Amino acid sequence: MNNEILQKVEKLLSEMTLHEKIGQLNQPETPSADNAEAFKEAVRNGEVGSILMSVGATAGNDAQGAIDISFYNEIQRIAVEESKNHIPLIFGRDVIHGHHTVFPVPLAMAASFNSDLIEQSYRDIAQEAAQESIHWTFTPMLDLARDPRWGRIIEGPGEDPYVGARFASAVVSGLQGDDLSKSDTLVACAKHYVGYGASEGGRDYHRTEISDYSLHNYYLPAFRSAVKAGARTVMSSFNDVNGQPITSSSYYLTDILRDKLGFEGFVVSDYDAVIQLKRQGVAADDADCAAMALNAGLDMDMHDYCYAANLEKLVESGKVSMEAVDNAVKRILYVKFEKGLFDHPYCTPAGYDKNEHLKHARELADESIVLLKNSDHLLPLDKSAKICLIGPFATERRSLLGSWCIDGTAEETPCLLDALKESSTGKIEYSSGLGLNWDSTLKKAYNSDVVVLALGESWSSTGEARAVSNISIPPEQLAIIKKVKAAGKKTVGVLFCGRPIEMQEISNELDAVIYAWHNGSASAPAVCDILFGDVSPSGKLPATLPRLATHIPLYYNITSSGRPVNCYYNENPYDCYIDSIPTPCYPFGYGLSYTTFNYSRPECDKTEISLGDLEAGKKITVSVNLENAGDYDAKETVQLYMNTPVAKMMRPIRELKSFKKIFLKQKTNETVSFELGYEDFGYYDPCGNYVVEKGVRNVFVGENCLTVNKVSVIIK
Ligand code: BGC
């Protein structure tokens, strides 16, 4: 930590009353016009530390209105000029995957496996948001999720801890830049710490069942990485782990987050979570809630005024120490200093290059799209092909922007019909496919060279408080797929989805399938880039697509069972269920290209290494030769998985340890190398200690988690 800042913080703290200190811990939301004057008075009195610049418990689901910069500048002026301590406020808003320019939803971003593009996108996002008074965003969302019924799976990086860790560092670096005090950065907030993605049955806000072993190996790595990348804030999650609400758990908020992970910033609660401790059954009244949360290490109280109403009395009665309050205040002030708010409290928009941001959004959308099926090389289409575009998503705009897009504009977002007309030179016929006029739709289909179906799920069935029990596309869309079959035309399905959906039926019926997610402002142009082959698809699945919803949870990094009934890897799949085969429809890491990539067998620079050498920092280099044998220049995500056949704890059959996204021109090849060191060969025991055991490691390098292309190394 920076000594100069620490001294400033101490000095300021020494001049503050308890009332003013508690004000720093209080984060109300933007007041309504009726409340604005009373709110300003509270700011004047030092009773507000931050503003949540949105309204409502699930702000991503509601229209929030444009940001009034002059209002925030005025509030800031009151804090800086008229309050006794002149402490600026920090303004926070959920800028989750875009501001005015909307980028793909985070699950889709993860599918790009392109950390550089993700980082670049968050640079753009920070630049846009910072020009509208925003200092702090509640991003990245790092909840590992294995249940697609959970609506919030859309907001995070999917089912894999390593992908989560890479995503975390890219987002934090993008948002915070190399100097947080610059005016075009945002303070990042790693959330929801921890385990929220394991909400039972995918039902939002529910309890979780997470073993310590899983916690350290699956749920914590992304947070570890965010902390390492310098995330200045963390949001505690609504859920409990091990019978303890995270909001009131000093074990999770202090022992693990601060002492083990080394987090030095401040923790903000989730919305109203402090007061909800009563409903969770661990606090008798509001005072209990405040005492438990603060004593646990939760610094800022979002929205429920529980700290503001109770902490003064709690300190007087000795239930909360002044030291605990001081520590929370110090952490918040420290971040305010780091963000440069004392020197530059006001927002003065400098403008940004909207076209450049749109270009980046399109690049990321291009790389997020996953080609699932391409029978007889139906794709790419010729630009002059006669296309019949059918389906409700042909003219859909809002859903393409995804959940948690509170500042994007649907009207400015091209739909697929617009984008097709723009990029094709052939005749485009269109029908929604809904309603009674099916004969005319069928006629259009007959007269076309190919049918493109635009299908998907609405943005409003994804996101917070949007769990679903049916993870398929709506029945009327399934009906369209079936009816189009009657036209006997080759059919491409474009699926605009925010979660993994059940794929068996859809996949069987269609000739080609493009998983296009909710990819933001450039969703539709990016689909055209893929449809016409201007870009070869390179997205890979960050979460398994099941055949049937009843097969979930279904994720790749499972441990072996004593009897070989491992469905994911096709070991006696009939023994898993007697009525269906629960192998994935499309496994983790899967995604097709227009070219053919050939992998050589992996080779190691040494096949044995001593544990001592690893501890001393020596590494093993694993290399493969990657050949682009086809007729397209294309990108491929080379994935490296590991398996430890014998260890003291059961280890996953495969776990992703590294990946590299490589661009290769057609008919060229390249050696792709990975360095594996101490941090790659071990795992965390249930106490959270990192262990590297001696013995064999199988290292797999290939195109998805089912690859059998392996080499073995021995740690002696
Ligand atoms: C969500 C958070 C969000 C917060 C503020 C909560 O309901 O869980 O992810 O940052 O609201 O809008």
Side-chain angles (χ1 to χ4, degrees), residues 52 57 94 138 152 191-192 235 238 270-271 302 404 464:
L52 171 60
D94 293 279
F138 308 113
R152 302 198 80 168
K191 74 182 187 187
H192 305 84
M235 184 185 290
F238 288 122
D270 206 338
Y271 193 95
M302 184 186 280
W404 271 122
E464 185 172 359

Side-chain angles (χ1 to χ4, degrees), residues 2-14:
N2 178 306
N3 264 337
E4 207 181 308
I5 298 185
L6 283 174
Q7 280 167 13
K8 286 183 189 168
V9 167
E10 288 294 349
K11 175 158 184 306
L12 200 45
L13 189 77
S14 69

Side-chain angles (χ1 to χ4, degrees), residues 96-97 103-111 141 143 145-159 368 370 393 396 398-404 455-464 466-468 470-474 477 494-503 506 514-520 523 541-546:
I96 307 295
H97 54 97
F103 291 77
V105 295
L107 186 62
M109 288 191 189
M141 193 278 217
D143 296 313
R146 295 165 168 175
D147 193 330
R149 291 172 296 183
W150 191 49
R152 302 198 80 168
I153 194 170
I154 193 173
E155 287 178 59
E159 75 185 36
S368 298
V370 185
F393 273 70
E396 174 63 27
R398 172 62 190 89
S399 288
L400 308 190
L401 295 181
S403 145
W404 271 122
L455 310 171
E457 59 176 344
S458 161
W459 72 276
S460 64
S461 59
T462 70
E464 185 172 359
R466 298 287 198 246
V468 295
N470 177 356
I471 55 161
S472 189
I473 52 174
Q477 296 189 26
V494 178
L495 302 175
F496 293 101
C497 292
R499 54 159 58 79
I501 61 167
E502 83 176 6
M503 284 301 299
I506 300 175
I514 290 174
Y515 217 73
W517 310 101
H518 293 161
N519 261 343
S523 287
L541 292 174
T544 302
L545 297 186

Side-chain angles (χ1 to χ4, degrees), residues 118 123 195 209 252 288 359 427 435 443 549 557 613 625:
I118 294 172
R123 285 270 64 245
E209 200 58 66
Y252 294 107
D288 254 5
K359 187 175 141 244
K427 190 166 174 217
K443 208 168 182 183
N557 45 8
D613 278 354
N625 188 269

